[in-house]
């Protein structure tokens, strides 16, 4: 005899390019076993048929909270959400480059943490390969339009040079941890790789390409059980060029996995 699992209440924190799609898909009933219970984020007012509440009320209402709000929100609320017993699906994986935050979330609970694979593919095979023997080095080359890589800390000459380039230019090369303070919003894929392959050294290269219409991530790894090269080319979100359109659907896939365990 099979018994169906009870429907779980899901809250969405952040109503931007990821959160708005996630909330709309949930409201449309596209994730079996999940019901949108509320949203945290003023931008949702008048755009959803569920209450717009604060984080504490969301954790009281929801079995699972999906963070789509950014690094600061994860830092401010992540541990408290888990301590309340609510499971947490994290979109802002790049924030976890911060070891202190990782330690705080690891120590929090009883809620469980689920990281989305977000804009990246091929992780299942890479994680399997690394479990046979860690890769000495994994290379990630991310290419975006120059405007998606402009940062607040850049001075006018740096910004003008980046925006005015007529050929691809490497703007950063190093580890995900080194990139964290410089390109915090372009770190999610690098951090995902680094977290999933903790014993491998992940080298990140960020390229600004004025001709780029898609966001490209090329992952290369070489180990005793195989040589891998994955290239994904995602269309950027119309509302946020730093985020790929596929990400909300990856987040919903992570939610489905969270509901299954
Ligand atoms: N894992 C991945 O592959 C991946 C890919 C792209 C983006 N991301 C990350 O996902 C996060 C969301 O991305 P996005 O493109 O939707 O960003 P966005 O800027 O379009 O939307 C974020 C929304 O959250 C809101 N917000 C911020 N703090 C809040 C708080 N405390 N309470 C309520 N609302 C709050 C903002 O006002 C904004 O509306 C970012 O951290 C981004 O870096 C992850």
């Amino acid at each position: 005899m099979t018994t169906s699992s009870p429907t779980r209440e899901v809250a969405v924190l952040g109503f931007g390019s990821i959160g708005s799609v996630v909330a709309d898909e949930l409201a449309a009933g596209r994730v079996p076993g999940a019901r949108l219970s509320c949203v945290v984020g003023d931008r949702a007012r008048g755009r959803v048929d569920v209450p717009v509440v604060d984080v504490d009320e969301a954790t009281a209402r929801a079995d699972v909270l999906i963070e789509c709000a950014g690094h600061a929100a994860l830092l401010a609320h992540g541990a408290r959400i888990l301590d309340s017993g609510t499971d947490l699906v994290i979109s802002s994986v790049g924030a976890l480059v911060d070891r202190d935050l990782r330690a705080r979330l690891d120590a929090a609970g009883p809620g469980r943490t689920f990281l989305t694979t977000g804009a990246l593919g091929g992780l299942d095979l890479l994680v399997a390969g690394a479990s046979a023997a860690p890769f000495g080095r994994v290379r990630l080359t991310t290419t975006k339009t120059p405007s998606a890589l402009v940062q607040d800390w850049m001075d006018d000459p740096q910004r003008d040079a980046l925006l005015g380039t007529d050929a691809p230019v490497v703007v950063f090369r190093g580890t995900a941890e080194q990139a964290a303070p410089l390109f915090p919003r372009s770190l999610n894929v690098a951090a995902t790789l680094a977290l999933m392959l903790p014993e491998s050294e992940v080298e990140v290269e960020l390229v600004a390409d004025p001709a780029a219409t898609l966001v490209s991530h090329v992952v290369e790894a070489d180990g005793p059980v195989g040589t891998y090269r994955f290239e994904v080319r995602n269309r950027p979100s119309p509302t946020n060029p730093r985020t790929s359109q596929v990400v909300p659907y990856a987040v919903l896939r992570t939610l489905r996995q969270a509901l299954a365990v």
Side-chain angles (χ1 to χ4, degrees):
M1 192 177 88
T2 56
T3 53
S4 59
S5 318
T7 297
R8 269 167 315 132
E9 301 293 332
V10 179
V12 175
L13 167 59
F15 197 75
S17 65
I18 298 175
S20 59
V21 177
V22 168
D24 287 349
E25 291 283 304
L26 285 168
R30 300 240 163 76
V31 179
R35 178 166 45 218
L36 181 67
S37 74
C38 56
V39 174
V40 185
D42 286 340
R43 282 166 68 176
R45 288 189 199 285
R47 293 172 60 186
V48 290
D49 290 333
V50 293
V52 177
V53 300
D54 64 19
V55 174
D56 287 327
E57 193 173 341
T59 54
R61 285 172 176 260
D63 303 301
V64 184
L65 184 145
I66 306 180
E67 174 278 314
C68 313
H71 299 190
L74 188 59
L75 199 63
H77 306 298
R80 197 153 41 97
I81 292 163
L82 294 167
D83 284 341
S84 77
T86 299
D87 288 342
L88 177 61
V89 172
I90 294 179
S91 299
S92 302
V93 180
L96 301 175
V97 167
D98 175 347
R99 289 169 196 239
D100 290 343
L101 175 59
R102 255 181 10 239
R104 277 172 56 196
L105 296 184
D106 283 349
R112 300 165 302 167
T113 302
F114 299 88
L115 308 186
T116 187
T117 49
L120 193 57
L123 282 163
D124 46 359
L125 194 60
L126 288 174
V127 170
S131 71
F135 300 107
R137 198 169 58 131
V138 178
R139 284 193 60 188
L140 167 68
T141 308
T142 294
T143 304
K144 299 188 177 191
T145 59
S147 61
L149 289 170
V150 165
Q151 304 296 316
D152 294 343
W153 52 261
M154 291 178 175
D155 58 23
D156 286 345
Q158 282 174 305
R159 190 182 304 240
D160 292 347
L162 187 53
L163 292 175
T165 185
D166 54 10
V169 52
V170 175
V171 296
F172 173 83
R173 190 179 288 124
T175 65
E177 275 191 357
Q178 289 165 342
L182 299 174
F183 296 91
R185 285 170 295 183
S186 295
L187 253 196
N188 292 293
V189 166
T192 303
L193 269 177
L195 290 166
M196 300 264 181
L197 304 170
E199 292 179 68
S200 302
E201 189 185 312
V202 179
E203 183 185 289
V204 182
E205 192 170 285
L206 292 177
V207 180
D209 183 353
T213 50
L214 304 176
V215 180
S216 128
H217 302 286
V218 177
V219 180
E220 295 162 287
D222 188 16
V225 296
T227 297
Y228 305 100
R229 186 180 186 282
F230 299 99
E231 176 172 7
V232 298
R233 302 181 78 212
N234 290 317
R235 224 167 279 292
S237 157
T239 53
N240 183 350
R242 291 185 162 92
T243 290
S244 297
Q245 284 184 36
V246 73
V247 177
Y249 300 96
V251 169
L252 288 164
R253 177 175 170 271
T254 306
L255 173 65
R256 286 189 192 93
Q257 292 170 330
L259 296 178
V261 293

